Amino acid sequence: MSKRDYYDVLGLKKGASPEEIKKAYRQKAKELHPDRNADNPDAETKFKEANEAYEVLKDNDKRAAYDRYGHAAFEGGMGGGGPRPGAGGFGAQGDFASAFSDVFDDLFGDFMGGGRGGRSRAARGSDLRYNLRVTLEEAYNGLGKTITVPTSVQCGSCKGSGSEGGAEPTTCPTCSGMGKVRATQGFFTVERTCPTCSGLGQIIKNPCTTCGGNGRVQKERALSVNIPPGVETGTRIRLAGEGEAGMRGGPPGDLYIFVEVTRHEIFERDGVNLQCRVPVSMTAAALGGDIEVPTIDGGRSRVKIPAGSQSGRQMRLRGKGMPALRGGGHGDMFIELAVETPVNLTQKQKDLLREFEAMSEDNNPESKSFFKSVKSFWDAMKG
Ligand SMILES: [Zn+2]
Ligand SMILES: [Zn+2]
């Protein structure tokens, strides 16, 4: 399979400026980010392709080599995009190499950034993502929940060192501890991650038999989490240090809980406010009266329907909405009346309604004014 031209991948011309390259990459990465393309498997491939192109084009030396020799300049695994130590987990965050943190720190805050980049010897564990669905009632009250997270934890046998019997790791002989090796490509010298130590700079003579030298093992972990009242779909809760364990004693990543609030049968949410459509009978709407409506806390509220209420009339119940996530009281609940036309009439009811109709005069001002407008519209058409 032939590789696509890096400029084409980012939609650029060959002479593009560094700013144009950065801008184009940013655009592509935003568009193709796996978090936004959960059901588009193609996006991940394209995302990686864009990353790879950017890794090369943002670097003057690599770009010059590419401009001169094309993809041949990097044959042999060069050009970024390779797997990072510590990648993996179920958050898909692992593989986007360093190009990512570069441009994304400002977009995603500390979500993608923290601790990435650089060649620390003990690699930080990956961040993990956990999707949690809650009901609207749970979002109202807040809840404590125990979740099971598949993750890797520090290996107990070697205490995370990766070394059998706890012996100290030794400096990697291939890269002398740099984590990178240099190779000459044409006129240029390019660096790549050391294949012997995967960039860690150290190797282990006798790898721990339990973890194979990684210093961590796969495990399911039960975590109890507190979901505060007021969460909504899209709320992200960060549990610092509860992500994947680091490699060889490195710091752990974070766990992010992504909340999704399911639809409710009765209430529709709009930020901190709730909407509730309440059907009322034609007679109750005409005569007025009290109705009882449900509230999200499980209680009920009496609401006075003024005589002559029309369909669509809104009423507000102050403070009966959702709690604000960061404190500051509750939103309101809005009731919308839906006047229900009676069905399944008996003969007697029909007779009574006909009698009522015959007696009606100024009972339907809206219809009256509408048909008046219609009449003048027709008259105007006739000229
Ligand atoms: Zn171990
Ligand atoms: Zn090495």
Side-chain angles (χ1 to χ4, degrees):
M1 201 180 91
S2 70
K3 269 183 100 128
R4 277 179 74 200
D5 178 74
Y6 286 151
Y7 292 98
D8 283 351
V9 166
L10 295 178
L12 290 165
K13 289 248 159 27
K14 205 167 175 181
S17 70
E19 288 71 36
E20 285 169 335
I21 292 171
K22 190 165 181 171
K23 203 173 149 200
Y25 170 66
R26 210 177 238 278
Q27 182 75 35
K28 282 275 175 228
K30 245 189 193 169
E31 193 181 298
L32 300 168
H33 191 278
D35 271 2
R36 295 182 194 184
N37 291 279
D39 37 32
N40 180 6
D42 224 35
E44 199 187 348
T45 314
K46 287 190 168 157
F47 185 78
K48 284 181 179 155
E49 199 180 41
N51 268 342
E52 188 185 320
Y54 181 61
E55 274 290 331
V56 170
L57 298 184
K58 75 168 180 175
D59 182 301
N60 284 340
D61 290 346
K62 289 181 190 169
R63 183 178 176 189
Y66 177 72
D67 284 349
R68 198 171 172 118
Y69 301 106
H71 289 297
F74 309 110
E75 238 113 63
M78 266 305 308
R84 243 173 23 88
F90 66 130
Q93 259 73 267
D95 1 273
F96 318 138
S98 58
F100 205 84
S101 40
D102 251 48
V103 180
F104 275 90
D105 281 358
D106 55 331
L107 290 180
F108 289 88
D110 61 358
F111 182 35
M112 309 300 314
R116 234 160 273 284
R119 279 278 168 234
S120 73
R121 296 213 159 149
R124 179 182 182 270
S126 298
D127 291 336
L128 296 177
R129 172 183 177 145
Y130 186 94
N131 295 327
L132 180 67
R133 293 183 117 193
V134 300
T135 63
L136 190 64
E137 292 91 326
E138 288 171 330
Y140 177 83
N141 291 306
L143 73 155
K145 205 163 180 123
T146 304
I147 61 174
T148 310
V149 187
T151 185
S152 56
V153 295
Q154 200 178 67
C155 170
S157 311
C158 62
K159 306 256 181 310
S161 71
S163 184
E164 188 75 42
E168 284 291 302
T170 52
T171 302
C172 170
T174 308
C175 62
S176 317
M178 301 297 287
K180 295 175 188 173
V181 288
R182 284 164 187 268
T184 309
Q185 309 266 355
F187 297 110
F188 300 94
T189 302
V190 286
E191 275 189 340
R192 62 191 173 99
T193 303
C194 172
T196 309
C197 63
S198 311
L200 291 172
Q202 296 180 317
I203 54 161
I204 286 163
K205 285 246 169 73
N206 292 310
C208 166
T209 47
T210 310
C211 62
N214 282 327
R216 51 187 193 183
V217 287
Q218 290 297 320
K219 209 185 165 183
E220 291 223 314
R221 218 156 38 114
L223 266 179
S224 56
V225 295
N226 261 323
I227 308 297
V231 290
E232 7 182 2
T233 296
T235 301
R236 218 170 61 190
I237 296 163
R238 175 171 175 255
L239 300 178
E242 299 289 1
E244 204 175 40
M247 269 261 255
R248 297 185 195 166
D254 299 331
L255 172 69
Y256 287 85
I257 295 178
F258 281 61
V259 177
E260 186 196 339
V261 181
T262 53
R263 278 186 70 88
H264 197 277
E265 217 178 308
I266 300 174
F267 303 103
E268 202 173 313
R269 183 178 191 172
D270 177 18
V272 290
N273 295 328
L274 291 174
Q275 281 274 357
C276 178
R277 189 175 170 275
V278 180
V280 291
S281 69
M282 184 188 75
T283 44
L287 301 172
D290 280 0
I291 55 166
E292 211 167 49
V293 296
T295 48
I296 186 66
D297 57 8
R300 46 191 81 189
S301 273
R302 285 202 86 76
V303 177
K304 208 170 188 54
I305 306 287
S309 286
Q310 305 294 340
S311 232
R313 180 170 192 147
Q314 294 246 11
M315 279 171 290
R316 184 207 295 252
L317 294 177
R318 281 194 195 277
K320 293 289 185 192
M322 298 293 285
L325 186 55
R326 299 186 203 293
H330 286 67
D332 301 328
M333 173 171 154
F334 291 89
I335 291 164
E336 184 183 317
L337 296 185
V339 177
E340 187 174 16
T341 306
V343 295
N344 305 326
L345 301 177
T346 63
Q347 191 54 51
K348 175 139 196 237
Q349 286 172 316
K350 287 181 193 167
D351 292 343
L352 283 170
L353 281 178
R354 285 200 186 95
E355 194 181 331
F356 170 81
E357 178 68 11
M359 285 162 42
S360 296
E361 255 173 69
D362 284 330
N363 303 115
N364 302 295
E366 195 181 329
S367 309
K368 205 167 179 177
S369 97
F370 175 75
F371 286 110
K372 209 170 142 198
S373 304
V374 169
K375 187 173 181 301
S376 50
F377 168 73
W378 280 333
D379 288 346
M381 296 294 265
K382 272 184 253 164

